[in-house]
Amino acid sequence: MLKIAHFSDLHLTSGNQSIWGVNTYDNFYKAIRLLNGINDIDAILVTGDISDDGSLESYQTADALFKQSSIPTYWCPGNHDSMDFFKSQREQYSKIVRSVIIKGYKIVFVNSVVEDKDCPNKNRSRGKITQKELEDIKKAISSDDLPVIIAMHHPSYSMNSWLDEKILINKEKFNKFVSFKNVKLVLFGHVHHFHVYRYTNPFVASASSIGFAFKKDLPKFQIDKGGEGFSILEINDEITIRNFKI
């Protein structure tokens, strides 16, 4: 059995600045303390927005705290992250890789971030999977017969709420693409809300936010206080998922 923790949307800032009245560092510390009380975690997958402002300080803080957990940790970028950091990062505890094999499962990390050409060093809120990224994913998926888990920032399924404004631009193309028989699980962030989109193959779910949470039934951008958290997934012949509030 593979047991993974799904973290997303930490939104750490330089100088420990609050966001909308929320101290995201405090929430991150709470999440790590809670995680350290859960046994037999094989890996932590972080689906983007580690930083809110792209500052080196925020990545260094996140990396140091993940290191304290002693659990292998893997990041993929979100729209608030610095793409320069993700392109240059090599030697930290938390790894940035295309794929990794853990307990017979291949985990493939996808870049869904669209850089904003009109605003240097900024990214657009909605994501897109480029043709090159699709080709690279296809190579990673089809290179062997291992069951596959895909981790990325932007969701490709609808919640039928205002959170759909955050959905992947070319979602239909991506969803058709990941219909490969060996893709068992797709994990998203970005919506700041724990949600299971589908239980059939592939199993699809988003994690709540560590930093601050939203809720699909609340008004747009209203903070879901107490909704912050992360997911624990146990993967074997079946997939079970539990949301841990912090």
Side-chain angles (χ1 to χ4, degrees):
M1 181 182 72
L2 175 65
K3 190 173 182 179
I4 60 176
H6 180 196
F7 277 43
S8 199
D9 298 275
L10 281 60
H11 285 275
L12 303 180
T13 60
S14 175
N16 194 15
Q17 300 178 46
S18 295
I19 303 175
W20 293 345
V22 178
N23 188 311
T24 56
Y25 279 89
D26 285 349
N27 286 346
F28 184 34
Y29 295 141
K30 291 176 184 176
I32 292 295
R33 286 198 297 269
L34 180 57
L35 182 70
N36 286 340
I38 302 172
N39 295 326
D40 303 322
I41 303 295
D42 295 302
I44 303 170
L45 310 185
V46 188
T47 51
D49 282 359
I50 293 92
S51 178
D52 187 78
D53 57 11
S55 62
L56 180 60
E57 177 188 342
S58 58
Y59 294 114
Q60 291 173 333
T61 299
D63 190 67
L65 204 55
F66 279 124
K67 187 176 182 179
Q68 291 180 16
S69 74
S70 300
I71 301 170
T73 302
Y74 302 90
W75 295 353
C76 65
N79 59 297
H80 279 269
D81 284 311
S82 164
M83 296 309 298
D84 287 341
F85 173 83
F86 269 79
K87 291 170 184 176
S88 64
Q89 190 267 3
R90 291 292 183 272
E91 303 300 330
Q92 305 301 318
Y93 176 78
S94 305
K95 299 297 189 292
I96 297 171
V97 297
R98 165 59 72 192
S99 64
V100 63
I101 297 173
I102 304 175
K103 285 191 171 180
Y105 289 83
K106 175 175 277 190
I107 304 173
V108 179
F109 300 91
V110 175
N111 176 17
S112 58
V113 174
V114 178
E115 297 183 62
D116 192 337
K117 296 180 180 179
D118 298 326
C119 299
N121 301 318
K122 298 290 184 181
N123 306 309
R124 297 189 181 276
S125 178
R126 292 190 67 181
K128 182 179 181 180
I129 309 297
T130 66
Q131 185 60 38
K132 183 181 184 305
E133 186 74 5
L134 284 174
E135 291 170 0
D136 288 347
I137 301 166
K138 185 176 181 179
K139 290 178 183 177
I141 291 174
S142 59
S143 60
D144 48 52
D145 293 326
L146 294 175
V148 171
I149 297 168
I150 290 178
M152 57 192 287
H153 186 61
H154 293 84
S156 64
Y157 288 83
S158 172
M159 285 189 185
N160 297 312
S161 77
W162 68 271
L163 289 170
D164 290 349
E165 295 176 13
K166 296 174 172 287
I167 209 163
L168 198 70
I169 292 172
N170 55 343
K171 61 184 186 300
E172 292 89 356
K173 186 174 185 179
F174 176 79
N175 291 338
K176 182 178 179 180
F177 178 82
V178 297
S179 61
F180 276 83
K181 65 179 181 180
N182 57 331
V183 177
K184 304 301 181 185
L185 172 64
V186 182
L187 298 176
F188 305 120
H190 197 41
V191 290
H192 293 231
H193 179 58
F194 170 70
H195 186 72
V196 177
Y197 296 80
R198 56 185 294 183
Y199 292 91
T200 55
N201 194 44
F203 190 110
V204 181
S206 59
S208 184
S209 167
I210 299 294
F212 51 91
F214 297 136
K215 194 172 184 178
K216 68 187 186 72
D217 299 324
L218 290 177
K220 186 175 181 179
F221 294 127
Q222 180 174 320
I223 300 296
D224 178 23
K225 295 182 179 179
E228 298 85 1
F230 59 89
S231 303
I232 297 292
L233 295 100
E234 295 182 352
I235 305 158
N236 204 339
D237 294 333
E238 296 183 351
I239 298 172
T240 61
I241 182 169
R242 183 179 175 188
N243 180 43
F244 284 76
K245 293 186 178 181
I246 58 175

mmCIF file with all atom_site columns, all heavy atoms in Angstrom, residues 171-187:
data_model
loop_
_atom_site.group_PDB
_atom_site.id
_atom_site.type_symbol
_atom_site.label_atom_id
_atom_site.label_alt_id
_atom_site.label_comp_id
_atom_site.label_asym_id
_atom_site.label_entity_id
_atom_site.label_seq_id
_atom_site.pdbx_PDB_ins_code
_atom_site.Cartn_x
_atom_site.Cartn_y
_atom_site.Cartn_z
_atom_site.occupancy
_atom_site.B_iso_or_equiv
_atom_site.pdbx_formal_charge
_atom_site.auth_seq_id
_atom_site.auth_comp_id
_atom_site.auth_asym_id
_atom_site.auth_atom_id
_atom_site.pdbx_PDB_model_num
ATOM 1   N N   . LYS A 1 171 ? -9.128  21.980 -20.375 1.00 0.00 ? 171 LYS A N   1
ATOM 2   C CA  . LYS A 1 171 ? -9.460  20.841 -19.508 1.00 0.00 ? 171 LYS A CA  1
ATOM 3   C C   . LYS A 1 171 ? -9.917  19.625 -20.299 1.00 0.00 ? 171 LYS A C   1
ATOM 4   O O   . LYS A 1 171 ? -9.594  18.488 -19.946 1.00 0.00 ? 171 LYS A O   1
ATOM 5   C CB  . LYS A 1 171 ? -10.527 21.236 -18.488 1.00 0.00 ? 171 LYS A CB  1
ATOM 6   C CG  . LYS A 1 171 ? -11.855 21.699 -19.051 1.00 0.00 ? 171 LYS A CG  1
ATOM 7   C CD  . LYS A 1 171 ? -12.798 22.146 -17.946 1.00 0.00 ? 171 LYS A CD  1
ATOM 8   C CE  . LYS A 1 171 ? -14.179 22.484 -18.471 1.00 0.00 ? 171 LYS A CE  1
ATOM 9   N NZ  . LYS A 1 171 ? -14.141 23.582 -19.479 1.00 0.00 ? 171 LYS A NZ  1
ATOM 10  N N   . GLU A 1 172 ? -10.711 19.842 -21.358 1.00 0.00 ? 172 GLU A N   1
ATOM 11  C CA  . GLU A 1 172 ? -11.222 18.694 -22.111 1.00 0.00 ? 172 GLU A CA  1
ATOM 12  C C   . GLU A 1 172 ? -10.083 17.906 -22.749 1.00 0.00 ? 172 GLU A C   1
ATOM 13  O O   . GLU A 1 172 ? -10.066 16.664 -22.719 1.00 0.00 ? 172 GLU A O   1
ATOM 14  C CB  . GLU A 1 172 ? -12.206 19.156 -23.206 1.00 0.00 ? 172 GLU A CB  1
ATOM 15  C CG  . GLU A 1 172 ? -13.516 19.723 -22.674 1.00 0.00 ? 172 GLU A CG  1
ATOM 16  C CD  . GLU A 1 172 ? -13.426 21.218 -22.411 1.00 0.00 ? 172 GLU A CD  1
ATOM 17  O OE1 . GLU A 1 172 ? -12.313 21.797 -22.578 1.00 0.00 ? 172 GLU A OE1 1
ATOM 18  O OE2 . GLU A 1 172 ? -14.452 21.815 -22.030 1.00 0.00 ? 172 GLU A OE2 1
ATOM 19  N N   . LYS A 1 173 ? -9.124  18.624 -23.290 1.00 0.00 ? 173 LYS A N   1
ATOM 20  C CA  . LYS A 1 173 ? -7.980  17.976 -23.926 1.00 0.00 ? 173 LYS A CA  1
ATOM 21  C C   . LYS A 1 173 ? -7.178  17.191 -22.897 1.00 0.00 ? 173 LYS A C   1
ATOM 22  O O   . LYS A 1 173 ? -6.773  16.051 -23.146 1.00 0.00 ? 173 LYS A O   1
ATOM 23  C CB  . LYS A 1 173 ? -7.101  19.025 -24.602 1.00 0.00 ? 173 LYS A CB  1
ATOM 24  C CG  . LYS A 1 173 ? -5.953  18.445 -25.413 1.00 0.00 ? 173 LYS A CG  1
ATOM 25  C CD  . LYS A 1 173 ? -5.221  19.541 -26.162 1.00 0.00 ? 173 LYS A CD  1
ATOM 26  C CE  . LYS A 1 173 ? -4.141  18.948 -27.068 1.00 0.00 ? 173 LYS A CE  1
ATOM 27  N NZ  . LYS A 1 173 ? -3.435  20.020 -27.832 1.00 0.00 ? 173 LYS A NZ  1
ATOM 28  N N   . PHE A 1 174 ? -6.973  17.785 -21.733 1.00 0.00 ? 174 PHE A N   1
ATOM 29  C CA  . PHE A 1 174 ? -6.202  17.102 -20.696 1.00 0.00 ? 174 PHE A CA  1
ATOM 30  C C   . PHE A 1 174 ? -6.946  15.883 -20.171 1.00 0.00 ? 174 PHE A C   1
ATOM 31  O O   . PHE A 1 174 ? -6.357  14.810 -19.998 1.00 0.00 ? 174 PHE A O   1
ATOM 32  C CB  . PHE A 1 174 ? -5.899  18.059 -19.539 1.00 0.00 ? 174 PHE A CB  1
ATOM 33  C CG  . PHE A 1 174 ? -5.193  17.401 -18.391 1.00 0.00 ? 174 PHE A CG  1
ATOM 34  C CD1 . PHE A 1 174 ? -3.839  17.155 -18.448 1.00 0.00 ? 174 PHE A CD1 1
ATOM 35  C CD2 . PHE A 1 174 ? -5.890  17.010 -17.251 1.00 0.00 ? 174 PHE A CD2 1
ATOM 36  C CE1 . PHE A 1 174 ? -3.171  16.530 -17.392 1.00 0.00 ? 174 PHE A CE1 1
ATOM 37  C CE2 . PHE A 1 174 ? -5.246  16.390 -16.196 1.00 0.00 ? 174 PHE A CE2 1
ATOM 38  C CZ  . PHE A 1 174 ? -3.882  16.150 -16.266 1.00 0.00 ? 174 PHE A CZ  1
ATOM 39  N N   . ASN A 1 175 ? -8.246  16.026 -19.921 1.00 0.00 ? 175 ASN A N   1
ATOM 40  C CA  . ASN A 1 175 ? -9.021  14.896 -19.382 1.00 0.00 ? 175 ASN A CA  1
ATOM 41  C C   . ASN A 1 175 ? -9.053  13.720 -20.348 1.00 0.00 ? 175 ASN A C   1
ATOM 42  O O   . ASN A 1 175 ? -8.996  12.555 -19.929 1.00 0.00 ? 175 ASN A O   1
ATOM 43  C CB  . ASN A 1 175 ? -10.445 15.348 -19.043 1.00 0.00 ? 175 ASN A CB  1
ATOM 44  C CG  . ASN A 1 175 ? -10.486 16.295 -17.862 1.00 0.00 ? 175 ASN A CG  1
ATOM 45  O OD1 . ASN A 1 175 ? -9.562  16.325 -17.052 1.00 0.00 ? 175 ASN A OD1 1
ATOM 46  N ND2 . ASN A 1 175 ? -11.548 17.067 -17.759 1.00 0.00 ? 175 ASN A ND2 1
ATOM 47  N N   . LYS A 1 176 ? -9.152  14.016 -21.626 1.00 0.00 ? 176 LYS A N   1
ATOM 48  C CA  . LYS A 1 176 ? -9.107  12.945 -22.619 1.00 0.00 ? 176 LYS A CA  1
ATOM 49  C C   . LYS A 1 176 ? -7.736  12.293 -22.628 1.00 0.00 ? 176 LYS A C   1
ATOM 50  O O   . LYS A 1 176 ? -7.606  11.071 -22.734 1.00 0.00 ? 176 LYS A O   1
ATOM 51  C CB  . LYS A 1 176 ? -9.437  13.506 -24.005 1.00 0.00 ? 176 LYS A CB  1
ATOM 52  C CG  . LYS A 1 176 ? -9.463  12.453 -25.100 1.00 0.00 ? 176 LYS A CG  1
ATOM 53  C CD  . LYS A 1 176 ? -9.837  13.065 -26.449 1.00 0.00 ? 176 LYS A CD  1
ATOM 54  C CE  . LYS A 1 176 ? -9.849  12.007 -27.545 1.00 0.00 ? 176 LYS A CE  1
ATOM 55  N NZ  . LYS A 1 176 ? -10.216 12.602 -28.863 1.00 0.00 ? 176 LYS A NZ  1
ATOM 56  N N   . PHE A 1 177 ? -6.727  13.107 -22.467 1.00 0.00 ? 177 PHE A N   1
ATOM 57  C CA  . PHE A 1 177 ? -5.356  12.625 -22.495 1.00 0.00 ? 177 PHE A CA  1
ATOM 58  C C   . PHE A 1 177 ? -5.061  11.668 -21.343 1.00 0.00 ? 177 PHE A C   1
ATOM 59  O O   . PHE A 1 177 ? -4.396  10.649 -21.518 1.00 0.00 ? 177 PHE A O   1
ATOM 60  C CB  . PHE A 1 177 ? -4.405  13.817 -22.442 1.00 0.00 ? 177 PHE A CB  1
ATOM 61  C CG  . PHE A 1 177 ? -2.952  13.448 -22.414 1.00 0.00 ? 177 PHE A CG  1
ATOM 62  C CD1 . PHE A 1 177 ? -2.277  13.139 -23.577 1.00 0.00 ? 177 PHE A CD1 1
ATOM 63  C CD2 . PHE A 1 177 ? -2.259  13.420 -21.219 1.00 0.00 ? 177 PHE A CD2 1
ATOM 64  C CE1 . PHE A 1 177 ? -0.936  12.784 -23.552 1.00 0.00 ? 177 PHE A CE1 1
ATOM 65  C CE2 . PHE A 1 177 ? -0.928  13.075 -21.179 1.00 0.00 ? 177 PHE A CE2 1
ATOM 66  C CZ  . PHE A 1 177 ? -0.261  12.756 -22.358 1.00 0.00 ? 177 PHE A CZ  1
ATOM 67  N N   . VAL A 1 178 ? -5.579  11.980 -20.146 1.00 0.00 ? 178 VAL A N   1
ATOM 68  C CA  . VAL A 1 178 ? -5.263  11.149 -18.975 1.00 0.00 ? 178 VAL A CA  1
ATOM 69  C C   . VAL A 1 178 ? -6.224  9.972  -18.822 1.00 0.00 ? 178 VAL A C   1
ATOM 70  O O   . VAL A 1 178 ? -6.313  9.383  -17.751 1.00 0.00 ? 178 VAL A O   1
ATOM 71  C CB  . VAL A 1 178 ? -5.236  11.975 -17.665 1.00 0.00 ? 178 VAL A CB  1
ATOM 72  C CG1 . VAL A 1 178 ? -4.148  13.007 -17.703 1.00 0.00 ? 178 VAL A CG1 1
ATOM 73  C CG2 . VAL A 1 178 ? -6.586  12.609 -17.373 1.00 0.00 ? 178 VAL A CG2 1
ATOM 74  N N   . SER A 1 179 ? -6.915  9.643  -19.901 1.00 0.00 ? 179 SER A N   1
ATOM 75  C CA  . SER A 1 179 ? -7.770  8.464  -19.870 1.00 0.00 ? 179 SER A CA  1
ATOM 76  C C   . SER A 1 179 ? -6.965  7.188  -20.090 1.00 0.00 ? 179 SER A C   1
ATOM 77  O O   . SER A 1 179 ? -7.544  6.112  -20.243 1.00 0.00 ? 179 SER A O   1
ATOM 78  C CB  . SER A 1 179 ? -8.877  8.575  -20.932 1.00 0.00 ? 179 SER A CB  1
ATOM 79  O OG  . SER A 1 179 ? -8.323  8.660  -22.233 1.00 0.00 ? 179 SER A OG  1
ATOM 80  N N   . PHE A 1 180 ? -5.619  7.318  -20.120 1.00 0.00 ? 180 PHE A N   1
ATOM 81  C CA  . PHE A 1 180 ? -4.763  6.134  -20.185 1.00 0.00 ? 180 PHE A CA  1
ATOM 82  C C   . PHE A 1 180 ? -5.180  5.162  -19.095 1.00 0.00 ? 180 PHE A C   1
ATOM 83  O O   . PHE A 1 180 ? -5.425  5.555  -17.951 1.00 0.00 ? 180 PHE A O   1
ATOM 84  C CB  . PHE A 1 180 ? -3.292  6.527  -19.963 1.00 0.00 ? 180 PHE A CB  1
ATOM 85  C CG  . PHE A 1 180 ? -2.582  7.017  -21.190 1.00 0.00 ? 180 PHE A CG  1
ATOM 86  C CD1 . PHE A 1 180 ? -2.708  8.334  -21.594 1.00 0.00 ? 180 PHE A CD1 1
ATOM 87  C CD2 . PHE A 1 180 ? -1.773  6.169  -21.930 1.00 0.00 ? 180 PHE A CD2 1
ATOM 88  C CE1 . PHE A 1 180 ? -2.048  8.798  -22.719 1.00 0.00 ? 180 PHE A CE1 1
ATOM 89  C CE2 . PHE A 1 180 ? -1.108  6.621  -23.044 1.00 0.00 ? 180 PHE A CE2 1
ATOM 90  C CZ  . PHE A 1 180 ? -1.240  7.937  -23.450 1.00 0.00 ? 180 PHE A CZ  1
ATOM 91  N N   . LYS A 1 181 ? -5.209  3.887  -19.433 1.00 0.00 ? 181 LYS A N   1
ATOM 92  C CA  . LYS A 1 181 ? -5.683  2.893  -18.473 1.00 0.00 ? 181 LYS A CA  1
ATOM 93  C C   . LYS A 1 181 ? -4.834  2.816  -17.221 1.00 0.00 ? 181 LYS A C   1
ATOM 94  O O   . LYS A 1 181 ? -5.311  2.407  -16.160 1.00 0.00 ? 181 LYS A O   1
ATOM 95  C CB  . LYS A 1 181 ? -5.748  1.512  -19.134 1.00 0.00 ? 181 LYS A CB  1
ATOM 96  C CG  . LYS A 1 181 ? -4.401  0.963  -19.560 1.00 0.00 ? 181 LYS A CG  1
ATOM 97  C CD  . LYS A 1 181 ? -4.545  -0.415 -20.189 1.00 0.00 ? 181 LYS A CD  1
ATOM 98  C CE  . LYS A 1 181 ? -3.196  -0.993 -20.603 1.00 0.00 ? 181 LYS A CE  1
ATOM 99  N NZ  . LYS A 1 181 ? -3.322  -2.337 -21.213 1.00 0.00 ? 181 LYS A NZ  1
ATOM 100 N N   . ASN A 1 182 ? -3.549  3.215  -17.311 1.00 0.00 ? 182 ASN A N   1
ATOM 101 C CA  . ASN A 1 182 ? -2.690  3.097  -16.133 1.00 0.00 ? 182 ASN A CA  1
ATOM 102 C C   . ASN A 1 182 ? -2.675  4.355  -15.265 1.00 0.00 ? 182 ASN A C   1
ATOM 103 O O   . ASN A 1 182 ? -2.001  4.395  -14.238 1.00 0.00 ? 182 ASN A O   1
ATOM 104 C CB  . ASN A 1 182 ? -1.255  2.709  -16.524 1.00 0.00 ? 182 ASN A CB  1
ATOM 105 C CG  . ASN A 1 182 ? -0.613  3.673  -17.490 1.00 0.00 ? 182 ASN A CG  1
ATOM 106 O OD1 . ASN A 1 182 ? -1.302  4.300  -18.286 1.00 0.00 ? 182 ASN A OD1 1
ATOM 107 N ND2 . ASN A 1 182 ? 0.702   3.775  -17.444 1.00 0.00 ? 182 ASN A ND2 1
ATOM 108 N N   . VAL A 1 183 ? -3.422  5.413  -15.647 1.00 0.00 ? 183 VAL A N   1
ATOM 109 C CA  . VAL A 1 183 ? -3.547  6.596  -14.791 1.00 0.00 ? 183 VAL A CA  1
ATOM 110 C C   . VAL A 1 183 ? -4.641  6.319  -13.763 1.00 0.00 ? 183 VAL A C   1
ATOM 111 O O   . VAL A 1 183 ? -5.818  6.222  -14.094 1.00 0.00 ? 183 VAL A O   1
ATOM 112 C CB  . VAL A 1 183 ? -3.874  7.868  -15.599 1.00 0.00 ? 183 VAL A CB  1
ATOM 113 C CG1 . VAL A 1 183 ? -4.059  9.058  -14.656 1.00 0.00 ? 183 VAL A CG1 1
ATOM 114 C CG2 . VAL A 1 183 ? -2.767  8.158  -16.605 1.00 0.00 ? 183 VAL A CG2 1
ATOM 115 N N   . LYS A 1 184 ? -4.245  6.150  -12.526 1.00 0.00 ? 184 LYS A N   1
ATOM 116 C CA  . LYS A 1 184 ? -5.170  5.755  -11.465 1.00 0.00 ? 184 LYS A CA  1
ATOM 117 C C   . LYS A 1 184 ? -5.687  6.927  -10.646 1.00 0.00 ? 184 LYS A C   1
ATOM 118 O O   . LYS A 1 184 ? -6.774  6.853  -10.066 1.00 0.00 ? 184 LYS A O   1
ATOM 119 C CB  . LYS A 1 184 ? -4.487  4.751  -10.525 1.00 0.00 ? 184 LYS A CB  1
ATOM 120 C CG  . LYS A 1 184 ? -3.935  3.518  -11.217 1.00 0.00 ? 184 LYS A CG  1
ATOM 121 C CD  . LYS A 1 184 ? -5.032  2.752  -11.947 1.00 0.00 ? 184 LYS A CD  1
ATOM 122 C CE  . LYS A 1 184 ? -4.473  1.499  -12.615 1.00 0.00 ? 184 LYS A CE  1
ATOM 123 N NZ  . LYS A 1 184 ? -5.508  0.810  -13.414 1.00 0.00 ? 184 LYS A NZ  1
ATOM 124 N N   . LEU A 1 185 ? -4.909  8.032  -10.585 1.00 0.00 ? 185 LEU A N   1
ATOM 125 C CA  . LEU A 1 185 ? -5.236  9.101  -9.656  1.00 0.00 ? 185 LEU A CA  1
ATOM 126 C C   . LEU A 1 185 ? -4.715  10.425 -10.200 1.00 0.00 ? 185 LEU A C   1
ATOM 127 O O   . LEU A 1 185 ? -3.588  10.498 -10.705 1.00 0.00 ? 185 LEU A O   1
ATOM 128 C CB  . LEU A 1 185 ? -4.593  8.806  -8.290  1.00 0.00 ? 185 LEU A CB  1
ATOM 129 C CG  . LEU A 1 185 ? -4.640  9.870  -7.204  1.00 0.00 ? 185 LEU A CG  1
ATOM 130 C CD1 . LEU A 1 185 ? -6.070  10.151 -6.772  1.00 0.00 ? 185 LEU A CD1 1
ATOM 131 C CD2 . LEU A 1 185 ? -3.808  9.425  -5.994  1.00 0.00 ? 185 LEU A CD2 1
ATOM 132 N N   . VAL A 1 186 ? -5.535  11.480 -10.112 1.00 0.00 ? 186 VAL A N   1
ATOM 133 C CA  . VAL A 1 186 ? -5.124  12.831 -10.488 1.00 0.00 ? 186 VAL A CA  1
ATOM 134 C C   . VAL A 1 186 ? -5.408  13.759 -9.304  1.00 0.00 ? 186 VAL A C   1
ATOM 135 O O   . VAL A 1 186 ? -6.539  13.789 -8.804  1.00 0.00 ? 186 VAL A O   1
ATOM 136 C CB  . VAL A 1 186 ? -5.863  13.336 -11.744 1.00 0.00 ? 186 VAL A CB  1
ATOM 137 C CG1 . VAL A 1 186 ? -5.359  14.728 -12.131 1.00 0.00 ? 186 VAL A CG1 1
ATOM 138 C CG2 . VAL A 1 186 ? -5.699  12.367 -12.910 1.00 0.00 ? 186 VAL A CG2 1
ATOM 139 N N   . LEU A 1 187 ? -4.385  14.506 -8.875  1.00 0.00 ? 187 LEU A N   1
ATOM 140 C CA  . LEU A 1 187 ? -4.505  15.390 -7.722  1.00 0.00 ? 187 LEU A CA  1
ATOM 141 C C   . LEU A 1 187 ? -4.279  16.843 -8.140  1.00 0.00 ? 187 LEU A C   1
ATOM 142 O O   . LEU A 1 187 ? -3.345  17.144 -8.883  1.00 0.00 ? 187 LEU A O   1
ATOM 143 C CB  . LEU A 1 187 ? -3.483  15.004 -6.649  1.00 0.00 ? 187 LEU A CB  1
ATOM 144 C CG  . LEU A 1 187 ? -3.620  13.598 -6.051  1.00 0.00 ? 187 LEU A CG  1
ATOM 145 C CD1 . LEU A 1 187 ? -2.485  13.328 -5.079  1.00 0.00 ? 187 LEU A CD1 1
ATOM 146 C CD2 . LEU A 1 187 ? -4.966  13.439 -5.353  1.00 0.00 ? 187 LEU A CD2 1
#
